[in-house]
Amino acid sequence: MKTELSLQELMKYKPIVREYCTLSIQSKLTETEANRLGAILQQAEQEPMLNLLLDEADHLVAHELDLIDPVFIQEQQHKLKVALQLERFKKANLSQTETVEIQTVLQKEGLYTGAIDGVCGPRTQEAIKQLRSLPTNRWIRNFISAEIWSTC
């Protein structure tokens, strides 16, 4: 299965991305323009690469218009880093090394004060429960899977 796109394949999206940017920065759209924007978004739902490119275009436009708070970006990057670290622990049967890694992540988040020993005991389980229950960490709840509860 081919997973990389060539530059030529990516370039086919250039006119669509340009049109999307042009339409998305308008303060008002005609019905025709709104329909076209909707069609582009529907196409992006079917084509992951286009979806990614439109997300990147949105990000660039937001920066140009000073709509992005740098502190917010740092917070989001931190959340993403933690989520990616915890994603590795979704599978069941955690090894001692994996448990050490999750304990380290939980400790960095201020939720775990026990020893970093690779043993998924009551303190580790409690830290995972705390992380899952924090309202500000809804983004991460799905990254600690139910399998960990039974494994840990």
Side-chain angles (χ1 to χ4, degrees):
M1 174 190 273
K2 185 178 173 184
T3 58
E4 292 184 25
L5 293 175
S6 70
L7 182 57
Q8 183 179 4
E9 291 170 315
L10 284 174
M11 291 304 289
K12 76 177 185 180
Y13 293 115
K14 186 176 180 179
I16 298 169
V17 173
R18 280 189 176 183
E19 183 180 12
Y20 171 81
C21 289
T22 301
L23 292 171
S24 66
I25 63 172
Q26 302 301 315
S27 59
K28 290 185 178 184
L29 296 174
T30 66
E31 186 175 339
T32 303
E33 291 168 331
N35 289 339
R36 177 61 185 140
L37 188 58
I40 292 170
L41 293 172
Q42 285 180 344
Q43 181 180 351
E45 288 177 9
Q46 303 301 315
E47 299 179 41
M49 184 52 64
L50 178 59
N51 193 24
L52 174 68
L53 293 170
L54 295 183
D55 283 346
E56 289 299 311
D58 283 340
H59 185 77
L60 289 172
V61 168
H63 270 292
E64 286 296 317
L65 298 174
D66 287 326
L67 299 175
I68 295 182
D69 177 10
V71 173
F72 175 76
I73 293 297
Q74 287 177 334
E75 290 171 356
Q76 293 301 308
Q77 288 171 337
H78 173 71
K79 288 178 180 181
L80 180 59
K81 181 179 177 182
V82 171
L84 290 172
Q85 288 171 330
L86 292 176
E87 171 64 17
R88 296 184 356 209
F89 306 112
K90 283 180 77 172
K91 65 180 181 169
N93 301 319
L94 297 176
S95 70
Q96 185 175 7
T97 302
E98 291 169 324
T99 302
V100 164
E101 290 179 36
I102 197 166
Q103 287 171 332
T104 302
V105 169
L106 292 167
Q107 187 179 61
K108 286 179 183 177
E109 289 298 305
L111 299 171
Y112 180 70
T113 58
I116 305 294
D117 56 8
V119 176
C120 196
R123 287 184 184 171
T124 304
Q125 292 173 21
E126 183 58 32
I128 291 170
K129 286 179 187 176
Q130 287 176 12
L131 182 67
R132 290 177 61 100
S133 68
L134 291 174
T136 56
N137 282 332
R138 287 187 189 131
W139 57 271
I140 205 165
R141 287 184 188 171
N142 291 330
F143 290 99
I144 300 212
S145 65
E147 290 84 28
I148 288 179
W149 299 105
S150 60
T151 303
C152 229

